[in-house]
Amino acid sequence: MTNSRLFVPLSCVLIFSVLVGIGFIIPQWAMFLATMALAKGLVALGIVILMRAGLVSFGQGLYFCIGAYVSGLMANWTGITDIVLLSILGVLVSVILAAICARLLSGYRGIFFAMLTLSLSMILYGALSKMSIIGGTDGLNVSAPTFLGYAPEGRALGFSLYFYTCLVSVIAGGLIRVYFNSERGLTTLAIRDNELRVEYLGSSVKSAISSGYIMAAAVGGLGGVIAGLAIGHVDPEYAYWTTSGEFVFVAILSGFFSIGAVFASSIVLEVVRSFSNLYFPNTWQLVLGVFLLIVILLLPNGLGSLFSKRRRKGGSE
Amino acid sequence: MNTAESSTADFVLQAKNLNKAFGAVIAANEVDVAVPRGAVWSLIGSNGAGKTTFVNMVTGYLRPDSGTILFNDKDITGLAPRNITRLGISRSFQIPQLCAELTALENMLVSLSSANEQASFFRPAHSTQSVANATEMLERFRIVDYRDRTMAELPAGVRKLLDIAMAITGEPQVLLLDEPTSGVAAEEKYPLMDLVMEALDGSNVTVMFVEHDMDIVARYSQRVLAFYDGQIIANDTPDNVMQDDSVRRYVTGGAVATPGGV
């Protein structure tokens, strides 16, 4: 536990400064890799929110895809390229859809919840694949973003996108840390342990799960907007189940104790995948699988348990 | 039953003609009872007699097949447990329902935040005030030494007390305790009940506890409801209930008094 109200904002400022500082020294390919890792880390953070309530979503690709398509379609149809506006729209659409889906999903637990989330994302995948008006399986290209009127190009564009991604990731991470430390956050951990007791204490488990799912969708949509703009192309694969599986991979790798561990795990995944792809082009999935196996065996509560006092036993974070 | 002639205003809880069946098993058969405010009653009966079914119906876990449950004259039949808790009826469990991965302090913090109108997304669960309140509750039940331990590390008696402490954080008007002394060492039963009654002293909470130990029943309850086969077969003071032939035959297992003293 950290009693100081300043701990979270100060940590955010420190982490943001370090990340931006790193941006000045790393090459452009690494900056792109870091941008994508942070964007995907945001989506995985959504899964971690749900994991704290004992649920795993295998369908966060749904909101990743929604965010990416919102940025692509808005840029192509309306000419809006401002990243802040696109982020707000991506999050808004994701939240509205999640609020509708949450009514269905909050009544399910375990594998049923996981499979329903998966099926929702696959419905979107199927629908987008058949919609030739927006590119079908080929998807569509996305214009380069602008930043409150600033329209950089080349390395400046990559750095601006990296800077923006660091900023929103740190803000989202900080807000979610506040939520994890809050009364609601603790109640969510209690739901994971004993749903019946929480109901008998007067709290609504469905409401807690719904709000967690909506928060997960918000960060998922935000990650999708950034990824779509960073790659410059969106296609239905964003909603495909293997994409969702990557986010689950990151969430399991990180565990649900530390928010920093989620982004660190996402970076680890991107790095391992990039280098495995380079040196073991046909067996890189095998390398990833072995890596995850080692983590599960040695750190069953994920990388985050290295930085958390809670770990397996109780205690404050 | 003596409910019909009494003014309903005196009763905090009333069950009227409750029926509940699980297939061929009748768990509640025309259960009819009115509980005055501030009373301490016990529920006795052999396993399967319908005590816990009664508790489960009152607290919303089970919906009766027919009949009504009134709380302060408001019909609460079939409401969800959380809504009934919010109205002022709390319960503890035969097997303590704690959050296993959380510490005793955190379990109390969860119950304190749930007792608020709406748990906050921003207010820290571990705020100085909340921790002080939770610690005070643990002190009241004399389990503060265990505040940083998780459920697996707690003795059975401490689990029971924590379960009950969590149930009373919302300042309920009615508290239902399902076998508060079961699984507790014989020498700890009286101290446990003393602690519970001491914690509730002066609060005017109506207490109904399910109990198998007749010494506990006689010592702590003002009135006893004896259940058998889903029915209430006796509703009287502990002394009178213990002397009741039906109770002796079906519940306590003592010798039945026969005419002529044979």
Side-chain angles (χ1 to χ4, degrees):
Chain A
M1 180 185 75
T2 305
N3 280 323
S4 169
R5 285 168 180 265
L6 291 175
F7 179 80
V8 173
L10 285 177
S11 302
C12 288
V13 169
L14 182 67
I15 293 166
F16 177 67
S17 307
V18 170
L19 286 173
V20 172
I22 290 170
F24 283 108
I25 53 172
I26 56 176
Q28 198 159 355
W29 67 266
M31 200 147 46
F32 173 77
L33 188 144
T35 303
M36 285 303 295
L38 291 175
K40 289 183 176 179
L42 280 169
V43 191
L45 195 52
I47 296 178
V48 168
I49 291 172
L50 291 166
M51 276 171 69
R52 288 174 75 95
L55 298 166
V56 176
S57 165
F58 272 98
Q60 283 314 95
L62 173 70
Y63 300 105
F64 186 58
C65 186
I66 293 275
Y69 266 83
V70 165
S71 63
L73 292 173
M74 290 308 288
N76 290 355
W77 289 353
T78 66
I80 295 173
T81 54
D82 184 72
I83 194 165
V84 178
L85 203 53
L86 291 174
S87 299
I88 292 169
L89 286 169
V91 169
L92 200 62
V93 174
S94 299
V95 164
I96 291 168
L97 181 66
I100 297 164
C101 295
R103 294 184 67 84
L104 165 75
L105 294 169
S106 60
Y108 292 88
R109 303 288 181 272
I111 193 66
F112 302 103
F113 179 88
M115 287 295 110
L116 274 174
T117 53
L118 177 73
S119 63
L120 289 173
S121 71
M122 289 307 289
I123 288 170
L124 180 69
Y125 171 79
L128 290 174
S129 299
K130 298 295 174 196
M131 291 171 75
S132 53
I133 193 170
I134 53 172
T137 51
D138 291 338
L140 45 102
N141 290 328
V142 185
S143 311
T146 56
F147 300 80
L148 300 172
Y150 172 54
E153 289 178 359
R155 181 176 167 87
L157 174 61
F159 183 79
S160 302
L161 197 53
Y162 172 75
F163 182 91
Y164 178 78
T165 308
C166 291
L167 184 66
V168 294
S169 299
V170 165
I171 292 171
L175 286 173
I176 290 169
R177 170 46 67 200
V178 169
Y179 160 67
F180 284 175
N181 289 346
S182 73
E183 292 175 348
R184 273 276 190 159
L186 187 61
T187 302
T188 307
L189 277 183
I191 289 171
R192 178 187 175 86
D193 272 356
N194 196 331
E195 201 176 297
L196 178 76
R197 183 72 212 214
V198 173
E199 279 279 329
Y200 268 107
L201 289 172
S203 290
S204 168
V205 170
K206 274 192 170 184
S207 154
I209 287 174
S210 294
S211 49
Y213 183 75
I214 292 168
M215 275 186 264
V219 286
L222 185 58
V225 169
I226 293 168
L229 293 171
I231 296 171
H233 181 84
V234 296
D235 61 51
E237 289 286 324
Y238 279 64
Y240 198 57
W241 68 273
T242 51
T243 310
S244 297
E246 272 183 37
F247 303 134
V248 175
F249 183 103
V250 171
I252 291 172
L253 194 59
S254 68
F256 59 81
F257 297 112
S258 161
I259 287 169
V262 180
F263 291 108
S265 299
S266 188
I267 290 170
V268 165
L269 174 68
E270 288 298 316
V271 169
V272 170
R273 180 165 54 188
S274 297
F275 284 92
S276 304
N277 218 353
L278 187 65
Y279 296 111
F280 317 100
N282 298 318
T283 53
W284 67 270
Q285 292 96 334
L286 181 71
V287 175
L288 271 186
V290 170
F291 183 70
L292 186 60
L293 194 63
I294 291 168
V295 169
I296 289 172
L297 289 174
L298 298 180
L299 289 169
N301 289 311
L303 295 176
S305 61
L306 288 172
F307 316 114
S308 167
K309 282 185 242 166
R310 184 183 288 275
R311 300 186 195 179
R312 282 181 221 182
K313 293 201 316 185
S316 304
E317 283 166 90
Chain B
M1 294 305 309
N2 57 355
T3 59
E5 67 272 21
S6 304
S7 160
T8 57
D10 298 327
F11 300 121
V12 65
L13 183 70
Q14 297 173 79
K16 295 185 174 177
N17 309 108
L18 292 184
N19 289 287
K20 182 73 188 173
F22 300 101
V25 177
I26 308 292
N29 185 1
E30 294 296 319
V31 171
D32 198 84
V33 63
V35 189
R37 194 177 305 280
V40 179
W41 285 19
S42 56
L43 281 60
I44 63 170
S46 54
N47 288 331
K51 312 177 298 293
T52 299
T53 299
F54 175 76
V55 171
N56 284 341
M57 287 192 293
V58 170
T59 55
Y61 189 69
L62 293 174
R63 188 187 180 96
D65 297 335
S66 64
T68 50
I69 302 163
L70 302 177
F71 173 62
N72 289 330
D73 294 328
K74 177 184 163 66
D75 189 353
I76 59 164
T77 318
L79 287 183
R82 68 172 179 280
N83 296 328
I84 290 175
T85 302
R86 290 226 167 265
L87 286 172
I89 300 178
S90 281
R91 73 170 291 183
S92 71
F93 296 82
Q94 183 181 352
I95 299 166
Q97 293 294 316
L98 306 175
C99 301
E101 293 286 317
L102 304 185
T103 62
L105 177 73
E106 286 170 331
N107 272 282
M108 284 308 304
L109 288 171
V110 170
S111 56
L112 279 169
S113 64
S114 297
N116 290 335
E117 201 52 46
Q118 192 70 48
S120 168
F121 284 92
F122 298 102
R123 198 166 43 236
H126 287 82
S127 70
T128 311
Q129 187 59 52
S130 301
V131 170
N133 291 344
T135 306
E136 195 222 317
M137 280 298 287
L138 295 174
E139 276 168 355
R140 256 167 91 180
F141 282 87
R142 293 181 201 149
I143 51 176
V144 74
D145 291 347
Y146 300 92
R147 59 169 258 166
D148 295 322
R149 298 201 192 167
T150 54
M151 197 176 103
E153 301 168 281
L154 300 180
V158 175
R159 287 187 200 179
K160 280 281 187 189
L161 285 169
L162 181 57
D163 189 58
I164 296 167
M166 288 172 76
I168 68 167
T169 46
E171 297 181 359
Q173 294 177 52
V174 174
L175 179 63
L176 294 140
L177 307 173
D178 195 356
E179 302 199 25
T181 67
S182 73
V184 175
E187 66 274 15
E188 288 179 26
K189 288 187 175 184
Y190 286 115
L192 184 145
M193 286 301 290
D194 283 341
L195 268 175
V196 173
M197 293 305 165
E198 196 182 303
L200 296 170
D201 196 29
S203 60
N204 203 33
V205 176
T206 305
V207 180
M208 298 184 82
F209 63 96
V210 176
E211 186 56 64
H212 287 290
D213 186 323
M214 294 307 139
D215 292 331
I216 299 275
V217 167
R219 178 161 167 175
Y220 294 98
S221 55
Q222 300 155 351
R223 200 170 183 91
V224 181
L225 296 180
F227 284 76
Y228 177 72
D229 212 14
Q231 288 179 299
I232 295 176
I233 56 170
N235 175 0
D236 210 329
T237 60
D239 284 345
N240 289 344
V241 167
M242 299 306 170
Q243 299 299 321
D244 186 280
D245 279 351
S246 301
V247 173
R248 292 167 77 93
R249 184 189 305 273
Y250 298 119
V251 183
T252 57
V256 178
T258 51
V262 179

